[in-house]
Amino acid sequence: SAVISQKPSRDICQRGTSLTIQCQVDSQVTMMFWYRQQPGQSLTLIATANQGSEATYESGFVIDKFPISRPNLTFSTLTVSNMSPEDSSIYLCSAIPRTGETQYFGPGTRLLVL
Amino acid sequence: AQSVSQHNHHVILSEAASLELGCNYSYGGTVNLFWYVQYPGQHLQLLLKYFSGDPLVKGIKGFEAEFIKSKFSFNLRKPSVQWSDTAEYFCAVNAADRGSTLGRLYFGRGTQLTVWP
């Protein structure tokens, strides 16, 4: 299994600003992902965080808006840039351990943009 | 892209009632299937998963799910629910036969289960 932590757990931000969310896994993992869960909706995959290369974004998500870093096998960051109220959501990090195929999720970062 | 449908958005049951939550997906290839649960104030946890083999899989806390390939379904069941099962349940699908999409999960909208004591 993998234990995933995220920082911050929640934040309130002003529109036009940016927020960087950190994701830390307690063991080396093969793959890391970032999801968004908007109010009343399901989880939507934003991107796959690739170690040592650019993230792979899903349709509707772009690097300029959601830059992602993954400097090593246990850590990733997601930045929500130039925020608007529509970015208010829960952002979740997930990872697949080297030893399996099951995806584990972090506790999420609850973001409110005013 | 795959899509996942959970037909019941909110289910209310009394303790000891039986539960079945529906999940259908749209993808013609080989799939991995998951049910995740999110208890109030907690993060997503894996309830059970299907990769291959016996289409009836058993998970934690007495839950089970049956993969019916012909119906593109993976319904979750529990014979007798408890108050502590109150949570939101998410069905998720991953395309198993595409290496480039390994790990990319597509989620249903979730079903909120409320169990009255």
Side-chain angles (χ1 to χ4, degrees), chain A residues 7-92:
Chain A
K7 287 194 296 187
S9 59
R10 59 180 64 225
D11 208 342
I12 301 173
C13 301
Q14 297 296 321
R15 67 171 68 212
T17 62
S18 298
L19 176 72
T20 295
I21 303 168
Q22 298 179 5
C23 175
Q24 180 72 56
V25 190
D26 69 340
S27 58
Q28 292 186 348
V29 294
T30 53
M31 305 185 79
M32 296 182 74
F33 305 88
W34 287 97
Y35 288 81
R36 180 173 73 181
Q37 186 176 19
Q38 293 182 301
Q41 298 188 29
S42 185
L43 287 82
T44 302
L45 181 62
I46 297 172
T48 303
N50 301 309
Q51 196 238 336
S53 64
E54 194 171 285
T56 304
Y57 289 83
E58 297 298 304
S59 176
F61 297 95
V62 295
I63 188 171
D64 290 345
K65 176 66 176 177
F66 297 101
I68 288 170
S69 78
R70 190 180 169 191
N72 57 49
L73 292 174
T74 64
F75 184 79
S76 178
T77 67
L78 168 75
T79 299
V80 186
S81 303
N82 189 24
M83 288 184 284
S84 67
E86 292 71 35
D87 294 320
S88 297
S89 186
I90 299 173
Y91 292 86
L92 296 107

Side-chain angles (χ1 to χ4, degrees), chain B residues 3-116:
Chain B
S3 68
V4 181
S5 299
Q6 291 182 242
H7 311 296
N8 311 103
H9 296 307
H10 196 175
V11 173
I12 302 173
L13 295 172
S14 299
E15 274 194 319
S18 64
L19 170 72
E20 181 160 3
L21 302 182
C23 173
N24 289 89
Y25 64 92
S26 64
Y27 180 66
T30 304
V31 291
N32 296 324
L33 299 158
F34 306 82
W35 276 97
Y36 282 85
V37 60
Q38 188 167 26
Y39 296 103
Q42 298 186 30
H43 59 275
L44 276 171
Q45 301 171 40
L46 182 68
L47 201 55
L48 49 78
K49 62 187 178 185
Y50 171 81
F51 287 161
S52 63
D54 189 346
L56 183 62
V57 294
K58 295 189 183 301
I60 61 172
K61 303 185 180 184
F63 286 91
E64 65 178 30
E66 184 175 13
F67 170 47
I68 303 179
K69 188 174 182 179
S70 61
K71 294 185 178 181
F72 298 89
S73 70
F74 190 56
N75 292 355
L76 180 70
R77 299 194 293 249
K78 185 172 183 178
S80 177
V81 296
Q82 300 173 312
W83 175 78
S84 58
D85 293 325
T86 294
E88 190 153 18
Y89 294 80
F90 294 93
C91 180
V93 174
N94 160 245
D97 54 2
R98 294 182 178 178
S100 64
T101 65
L102 179 66
R104 290 164 64 191
L105 290 180
Y106 295 88
F107 281 84
R109 287 190 60 182
T111 298
Q112 175 63 47
L113 171 66
T114 301
V115 180
W116 292 102

